[in-house]
Amino acid sequence: DKHMSSKTKVFIFWDLQNVSLQSLQSLEKLTETILQKANSLGKLSGQYVYGDVASTEKRRIQKKTMLKKHGFTYVEIASLNKNAADQRLSFDVLKAIGTHDNGHLLLVSGDNDYVPMVRMLKKADMKTTAIAKQKSASTKLLKLVDQAYFIRDLLDGKEAA
């Protein structure tokens, strides 16, 4: 129903520690694909990417610049603790989407740590979509979301490390 989808507010939350690609070119293609997917789900109302502390400084700056060019808010995670990004992202999702009756979360991650957050959104009748790497995606998370896509399928069979 077109009327419905135009009212849906779509929020992209991307965990770069869980889903990133080696080549900047592939990452940019993935970014464009994610944005297309988001726009097909409703009105894009927020796009956030959570920093990947594992990259080298030069790499990180390149990724950050490209993602900002595509309208993403880049959230730096100072802590090397992997869970710091997950907790921050979950908190921000609930804060952003919890205030909308018709929010739709597009989660770019397959991390099992997001299961509790997705459960909370589903309880509140929010729609959830995940885009994940097939190799590392949590089965539990994929079963829980309304829709799941693998990067490989979105990028014509390419799923680089």
Side-chain angles (χ1 to χ4, degrees):
D1 183 356
K2 270 214 147 45
H3 182 68
M4 282 300 287
S5 66
S6 64
K7 279 190 172 156
T8 304
K9 291 186 170 69
V10 182
F11 294 86
I12 303 172
F13 279 85
W14 183 345
D15 176 358
L16 213 49
Q17 287 183 86
N18 187 266
V19 172
S20 189
L21 299 168
Q22 281 318 111
S23 114
L24 203 63
Q25 207 181 345
S26 304
L27 188 65
E28 184 152 28
K29 187 169 190 296
L30 176 63
T31 303
E32 288 162 356
T33 307
I34 288 168
L35 288 167
Q36 280 168 359
K37 180 63 71 188
N39 284 308
S40 74
L41 296 170
K43 182 187 185 317
L44 189 53
S45 304
Q47 39 185 126
Y48 304 91
V49 62
Y50 288 72
D52 95 72
V53 284
S55 288
T56 62
E57 190 61 27
K58 180 176 178 250
R59 212 14 157 194
R60 200 156 62 231
I61 290 165
Q62 289 175 328
K63 285 182 181 181
K64 196 170 161 176
T65 306
M66 184 274 292
L67 287 157
K68 281 183 161 171
K69 183 183 86 181
H70 285 284
F72 278 88
T73 298
Y74 192 99
V75 183
E76 295 277 4
I77 303 292
S79 169
L80 282 167
N81 171 0
K82 194 194 108 17
N83 291 331
D86 301 353
Q87 285 160 2
R88 174 74 196 273
L89 187 150
S90 294
F91 177 77
D92 289 352
V93 163
L94 295 170
K95 208 169 56 176
I97 302 186
T99 57
H100 296 284
D101 334 332
N102 43 9
H104 188 138
L105 169 66
L106 178 54
L107 177 66
V108 187
S109 179
D111 197 324
N112 196 39
D113 291 349
Y114 297 120
V115 166
M117 170 195 75
V118 171
R119 276 212 182 101
M120 285 170 85
L121 291 174
K122 285 185 74 85
K123 269 200 188 108
D125 283 332
M126 301 286 175
K127 287 264 178 275
T128 52
T129 296
I131 292 178
K133 282 189 168 181
Q134 195 159 5
K135 290 195 295 274
S136 60
S138 147
T139 318
K140 203 184 226 174
L141 181 72
L142 297 180
K143 281 196 176 126
L144 198 58
V145 294
D146 296 300
Q147 296 168 290
Y149 299 94
F150 291 125
I151 286 165
R152 209 183 53 199
D153 302 331
L154 295 176
L155 293 183
D156 323 314
K158 283 190 279 295
E159 186 175 291

